[in-house]
Structures are given as structure tokens and as C-alpha cells.
Amino acid sequence: MVGYKTLKREDYMGENLKLRGSFQWRDGDAGAAPTWVEGELFVHDGVVSRRPKQGAVYRELSGFAIPGLTDVHCHVGVSSAGAVDRETQREQASADRDAGILLIRDCGAPTDTHWIDEELSLPKIIRCGQHLARPKRYMRHYGLELESQEELPEEVARQAKFGDGWVKIVGDWIDRSEGAASDLKPLWGGDVMRDAIAAAHENGARVTVHTFAHDTIDTLLDAGVDCIEHGTGMDSDQIAEAARRGIPVTPTLLQIERFGDFADQAGEKYPVYAATMARMDARNVEHQAELAAAGVQLLPGTDAGGYQHHGSLPVELARWTELGLSAREILDFATWRVRDYLGAPVLSEGAPADVVVYGSDPRADITVLQRPETVILRGAVV
Ligand SMILES: [Zn+2]
């Protein structure tokens, strides 16, 4: 599967840096948990190394280092009003970077952000193409709205070629065609979803799906979905199945906290939908904790770009303590586990020097992630 790719100008030389302290480091095979090493970490020629380069003069740093954070649900190129211009895209990506987010899976954008690949000072982006939705069945200006659901597999194949190994499908949304009886409903039938996911896989892409509703999940699991966004409608059997099959879920606590507002706004016009959202709102944290307890891989994501601010991932991760996770577990999810899942490098000999340094130990206190001291991107301090 395509995922992380070596981007252009990766041969940029960067700076000579020497970090003294503790850092997450992988010595062995991919998949093995990295260990925390105490000692010296060198950055030169744009890569990290345990060995100094002969004759090099190093600028010295100290602290606790991890590979850059990854936000897997981060819409660079979008605001609540739809597509944004390049200057705004730059501001968004810069805010992410300054928060220590050096890798982004954009989870859908109505704009072409490929120009960012040429920008040495902006995070690396793995694109999902454009959200695939249906008319009036998602936020306006975001998705490509397919008139007929039968168009989905073909459009998925097209988006797979445009994106960087990922396609984003909107799985469910309120269907306002039923007046007061309107509720969250799947956008696509089972056969269409199966063909669409097969089309993505044939084109070397994985599929992630926006879903709040319960009724969507069996279809997604049957169709071989790769990844689930929000997942608030999953029941215990579906959670167990996702865990068994290694399908990760992005819990987006900051975003689903808004369900109460969604319910209020729907109010009297759509009472059934409002009740659905209010019911989930009442147990969202408990629900996402069930994912963690069942052993589902949780992916770090904010849904920045609509209601959420860019750079809010460290705040999202701090909230994960409410899911019963320790700082150490959260840090694992937020660093090497998500990078392995996306096929992106972690800190190991010769790996790209995308590193964030903190003044104290994030394994002891996850809120430390909210205070990065030094951000090193492509081997240079930003
Ligand atoms: Zn989103």
C-alpha cells in the first residue's frame, strides 16, 4: 500500500544538531516497540543518527525527543466556509507544525495542497483527495457530491490516483428528506460500499470513513474498510471485530464533544436526529474508552479545519487520559504506532530528522506535549 512517501527535496541538508537527553528510538525491526534511550542523538544531513559525523560542529540541545506528532484527521485547505487560499493553508499548516505536528493525513480537502510538498518549513501531508459524499448529505463546500450512489466506486478510483494512498468517504449524515423523522442515515448501500473499497484497494489506496451512526458500521466492516473516523455508533461486537481485524479508529474527542451543540441546533426541526446526537453525547467518552479497552488502535486526530483549530492535537491527546490510558500509552499511539500504521518512519538510524523536543518527560505527563521547546523539521530547527 502507498502511504508515506519520500517527498521532493528530501535531500535538503539541514543543520548539525546534538541532542543530549532521552529519546524514543527504534533499533530493531519495523513493528517492534521503540525503546527510550538516554544519551546523545545527532542530526546531520537531514537525518537522525546515534553516531556523530567526523569533523562536524554541532549546535547543542537538551530534553526529551520524539518523532514529530501525526494528526491523521487534519483538513489543511478547508475552513468552515469551504476551500481556503494558499496563504490560509500556510497558516493552518504552520499552526500544526508549531504544535509539533510534522505529519498530517488530511482526511479530505476540496483544494489541491500539493504545493506544500515543496515547502521545507511545512509539515508533510498524506492526502485523501476530496471527501466523497452525496448532495445535501454532508457539510456544504467540502465534499464531492455524487448524484447517484452508483458513481462511488469509479470516483474512489479517481481520488485514489489523486491522493497519497488514501480515500475519504462520508459514511453517514443526517438525511433531511424525512422532515421531523429525519435521522442519521448511511449515504451508501452495502454493495456500493463493497465495490468502492475494492476499487480503492485495486488502486493501491486505503479507505477511511466518517461515521457517527450505528447503522453504517456493519456495512463498513463487511466491505473491508481500513480505518474509521469518530466511530461513535459502534456497538461492543463491532468494536471487538475492529480490534480483531486491526481496524483503527480516530476518536476525535474534541470534535464529538460538539454532539450536544449539534443536537441543540437541530432542535425542534429534527427531533429524532437531535435525540440520536444527544444520546451519543451522553456517553461519547465512555464509548471511546470502550475502544481503548477492547484493544482497538486509536489514531491521533483533531478534525482541524471545520470546528477545531489547527494545532489542537496536544490538547486532544491530553483528553485521552479520560479514556483510561496512561501518558505512556497515549504517547505510543501518538508516535510510533500511528507512524507504523501510515508507513512513516520513526526515529531510527538514518531516518528523516523530523523531531520534537520537550523540556520535561511526556511519558510522565502527557500535557507536556502542549509545550514543545524545539521543532526540527527536515533536519533543521524551525
Ligand atoms: Zn473531518
Side-chain angles (χ1 to χ4, degrees):
M1 291 287 178
V2 187
Y4 181 88
K5 59 182 181 182
T6 305
L7 298 161
K8 292 169 195 166
R9 299 179 69 178
E10 199 65 79
D11 54 350
Y12 173 67
M13 289 295 118
E15 298 179 57
N16 291 335
L17 305 166
K18 176 161 83 174
L19 173 94
R20 212 186 293 274
S22 298
F23 48 93
Q24 196 190 62
W25 185 257
R26 175 175 277 155
D27 252 328
D29 300 333
T35 52
W36 277 78
V37 172
E38 256 184 72
E40 292 176 337
L41 176 69
F42 299 91
V43 172
H44 47 238
D45 306 319
V47 301
V48 290
S49 174
R50 299 292 312 281
R51 296 186 291 270
K53 191 165 85 169
Q54 220 158 29
V57 178
Y58 286 96
R59 173 174 161 193
E60 299 207 12
L61 304 167
S62 64
F64 296 79
I66 59 171
L69 296 175
T70 302
D71 189 340
V72 302
H73 195 138
C74 181
H75 303 286
V76 173
V78 179
S79 76
S80 52
V84 296
D85 63 16
R86 284 194 178 185
E87 216 30 62
T88 310
Q89 292 172 33
R90 180 184 297 281
E91 284 166 19
Q92 294 175 334
S94 301
D96 291 319
R97 176 204 62 209
D98 293 346
I101 300 157
L102 302 184
L103 181 63
I104 288 168
R105 186 189 63 176
D106 70 3
C107 235
T111 38
D112 184 354
T113 61
H114 277 93
W115 67 277
I116 291 177
D117 292 355
E118 298 292 322
E119 296 287 316
L120 295 173
S121 66
L122 295 180
K124 297 169 182 176
I125 300 185
I126 294 171
R127 292 171 189 79
C128 296
Q130 191 167 1
H131 298 77
L132 298 179
R134 303 200 55 208
K136 299 185 177 160
R137 297 301 304 281
Y138 194 51
M139 288 168 74
R140 281 177 69 197
H141 313 303
Y142 274 46
L144 205 58
E145 299 177 349
L146 308 184
E147 287 298 330
S148 145
Q149 60 164 316
E150 276 68 39
E151 295 169 42
L152 185 67
E154 199 181 322
E155 192 53 47
V156 161
R158 206 172 357 253
Q159 295 297 326
K161 289 182 188 119
F162 174 83
D164 301 317
W166 282 92
V167 174
K168 171 74 176 291
I169 298 174
V170 177
D172 48 68
W173 198 252
I174 183 174
D175 178 355
R176 294 187 179 86
S177 66
E178 293 179 39
S182 298
D183 200 355
L184 273 184
K185 287 266 173 62
L187 271 65
W188 324 93
D191 290 347
V192 165
M193 186 57 83
R194 196 172 311 113
D195 290 350
I197 291 175
H201 292 169
E202 280 159 22
N203 285 280
R206 290 185 277 183
V207 175
T208 193
V209 176
H210 161 104
T211 172
F212 292 155
H214 172 68
D215 291 350
T216 315
I217 304 296
D218 279 341
T219 300
L220 296 180
L221 294 174
D222 289 345
V225 74
D226 300 289
C227 187
I228 291 173
E229 306 303 312
H230 318 297
T232 47
M234 297 170 81
D235 66 27
S236 301
D237 290 344
Q238 293 163 339
I239 288 172
E241 185 64 8
R244 192 182 68 75
R245 285 162 51 179
I247 300 169
V249 177
T250 314
T252 64
L253 287 190
L254 294 175
Q255 179 67 0
I256 63 177
E257 197 173 78
R258 298 190 47 88
F259 280 13
D261 294 342
F262 296 167
D264 291 345
Q265 286 156 17
E268 287 170 14
K269 199 167 174 196
Y270 302 113
V272 177
Y273 168 78
T276 298
M277 299 312 281
R279 199 167 52 245
M280 291 196 289
D281 184 54
R283 64 175 304 269
N284 265 340
V285 173
E286 188 189 335
H287 181 273
Q288 306 305 55
E290 225 183 294
L291 293 169
V296 173
Q297 180 172 358
L298 302 186
L299 297 180
T302 58
D303 215 345
Y307 298 103
Q308 305 301 326
H309 297 296
H310 282 272
S312 55
L313 187 66
V315 176
E316 166 77 20
L317 293 172
R319 293 283 307 274
W320 286 19
T321 54
E322 295 168 33
L323 306 181
L325 298 169
S326 68
R328 179 89 189 226
E329 290 168 320
I330 297 168
L331 199 60
D332 284 347
F333 278 132
T335 54
W336 65 274
R337 292 195 63 183
V338 60
R339 283 178 167 267
D340 282 2
Y341 178 69
L342 292 174
V346 298
L347 300 183
S348 62
E349 192 64 36
D354 295 340
V355 188
V356 186
V357 184
Y358 301 90
S360 49
D361 192 344
R363 288 170 297 172
D365 174 7
I366 200 68
T367 69
V368 165
L369 296 182
Q370 294 171 38
R371 297 176 294 281
E373 288 202 339
T374 309
V375 174
I376 300 164
L377 179 59
R378 297 182 173 85
V381 173
V382 179

